[in-house]
Amino acid sequence: MILSVQSAVARAWHGACWMLCLMMALATGMAHAEYPDRPIKLVVGFPPGGGGDLYGRLIADQISRKLGQPVVVENKGGAGGMMAAEQVARSKPDGYTLLMGMSSNMSLAAAIRGKELPYRVPEDFVAVGMLVQAPHGLFASADRYSTAKAALADARTRQMSYGSSGPGSVGYVTMEMVKAKAGVEIAPIPYRGSGPAITDLLGGHTDLFFATAPPIMGQVKGGKLKLLALTGEQRTPAFPDVPTFRELGIDVTVTQWYGLVAPAGTPNAIVQKLSRAVSEGLENAELRRVVRQDGAREVDMSTDRFRQYIVDDIARYRAGISDKLLKTMEVK
């Protein structure tokens, strides 16, 4: 009799435990299913008006439409986007704080700063999805050089200079990689923005300008500047006559890319929901028109492929950055 009572109690206890576990699992599933139930914050590491901000707002609008909650862009400039990345890396991994990851604060930062970087790439993040790739371009005043070959040939006969956004920036590092591959020496002149750099270029104070291409394309279309060559694996449809550096025998393919990442530990169900919203958003015709009009292109990439792309991009930068170049950026 006693054993029967004990057995009944045990069965009841196990049943209650099973029901509790089931309820907890259902509650967890419901919590994930209800995501998002409040606004999402997208941190962009640069001030309003730049490419990262533009693309961030475009995809924020699309994600908001897909998920039914506002996606609020927060601009947090500083240290080439690294302050924003550090903030998000330390945020609660609940899907409500996202980062506009870029080659500058992800790939390049990891390549040149290594263990000095206050966050780890890609370990401190979960890749949600790539958004856009924008090539870097070599520019000259419209009446100066007609081709990149002519400009590089001139650099072999005399001292030349080029404007850039300064040591440590993506444009500076990429142009230095181009110089090394091409076997030329062109003196870098740092500028705080493209405006004064282009003014000096047009005034004949510098010979060339190197920068991420899309923000400068208006000057090309207006006839003031000539776009000589672009980075990337292939020509951009917006400027089909402009060769890639690879076509010129200069194997530099790194681009300025933009993509969404979340803090490490973000539940996979949430990551996949965000990833689907990104993929659907990139199908929007107006988004594609805005992205493509100045030479960039949208890139729909799954979470696993995007993570691997970041790893490979870090390797591309590390392979192209010499000890001499590191010293010019005062990276110890």
Side-chain angles (χ1 to χ4, degrees):
M1 181 68 177
I2 294 175
L3 290 175
S4 297
V5 171
Q6 289 177 335
S7 179
V9 170
R11 286 196 299 273
W13 171 255
H14 287 302
C17 289
W18 183 86
M19 285 299 297
L20 179 61
C21 291
L22 178 61
M23 290 173 66
M24 290 177 65
L26 288 172
T28 300
M30 290 174 64
H32 286 174
E34 292 169 0
Y35 170 86
D37 60 6
R38 54 190 168 89
I40 299 168
K41 179 170 64 178
L42 172 57
V43 184
V44 176
F46 291 90
D53 180 68
L54 169 64
Y55 303 137
R57 293 181 188 278
L58 285 172
I59 201 62
D61 178 63
Q62 291 301 314
I63 294 175
S64 178
R65 293 170 185 267
K66 305 302 177 186
L67 299 185
Q69 287 289 343
V71 179
V72 181
V73 173
E74 176 185 293
N75 297 96
K76 184 181 180 65
M82 289 187 287
M83 291 179 65
E86 182 179 5
Q87 173 187 324
V88 173
R90 296 179 178 179
S91 297
K92 186 177 180 181
D94 57 5
Y96 289 98
T97 303
L98 307 175
L99 172 71
M100 174 62 84
M102 312 178 203
S103 49
S104 55
N105 60 7
M106 301 290 285
S107 304
L108 180 61
I112 67 176
R113 300 200 176 270
K115 293 182 179 179
E116 291 186 354
L117 196 64
Y119 50 89
R120 298 171 302 162
V121 183
E123 292 86 354
D124 287 345
F125 303 94
V126 177
V128 174
M130 187 178 281
L131 305 174
V132 174
Q133 282 189 349
H136 304 297
L138 181 64
F139 299 86
S141 59
D143 59 354
R144 189 68 179 277
Y145 296 109
S146 59
T147 66
K149 286 185 177 180
L152 296 174
D154 201 12
R156 295 186 177 93
T157 64
R158 67 180 185 89
Q159 178 62 55
M160 289 172 57
S161 63
Y162 78 94
S164 80
S165 47
S169 67
V170 171
Y172 170 83
V173 172
T174 307
M175 181 57 181
E176 292 300 305
M177 292 166 65
V178 168
K179 285 166 47 180
K181 292 283 187 179
V184 298
E185 182 53 55
I186 306 174
I189 308 296
Y191 289 89
R192 286 190 172 273
S194 61
I198 292 173
T199 297
D200 276 5
L201 180 67
L202 296 175
H205 303 294
T206 56
D207 300 289
L208 300 166
F209 179 49
F210 194 92
T212 303
I216 318 298
M217 291 304 196
Q219 304 276 7
V220 176
K221 293 176 180 178
K224 291 184 177 181
L225 297 181
K226 174 79 173 181
L227 177 58
L228 303 179
L230 290 166
T231 64
E233 300 283 350
Q234 58 193 27
R235 295 192 182 196
T236 173
F239 297 89
D241 296 331
V242 179
T244 65
F245 283 101
R246 173 174 279 181
E247 289 178 73
L248 302 175
I250 303 168
D251 193 14
V252 177
T253 60
V254 292
T255 62
Q256 175 69 287
W257 57 260
Y258 306 84
L260 290 191
V261 298
T266 302
N268 185 60
I270 291 176
V271 173
Q272 295 304 322
K273 192 167 189 177
L274 286 166
S275 181
R276 287 192 296 272
V278 168
S279 294
E280 292 172 7
L282 292 176
E283 295 292 330
N284 180 266
E286 178 60 14
L287 180 148
R288 290 189 169 199
R289 183 193 68 78
V290 173
V291 167
R292 295 178 183 183
Q293 65 184 356
D294 288 326
R297 64 187 182 97
E298 74 283 352
V299 181
D300 187 5
M301 195 175 285
S302 66
T303 56
D304 290 342
R305 284 183 58 216
F306 184 27
R307 186 185 191 280
Q308 187 59 49
Y309 180 92
I310 295 171
V311 171
D312 293 342
D313 205 40
I314 294 170
R316 281 189 286 269
Y317 276 111
R318 284 178 175 160
I321 297 175
S322 64
D323 291 340
K324 179 182 177 181
L325 178 54
L326 281 176
K327 290 178 181 178
T328 69
M329 296 182 284
E330 299 181 348
V331 177
K332 300 190 183 290

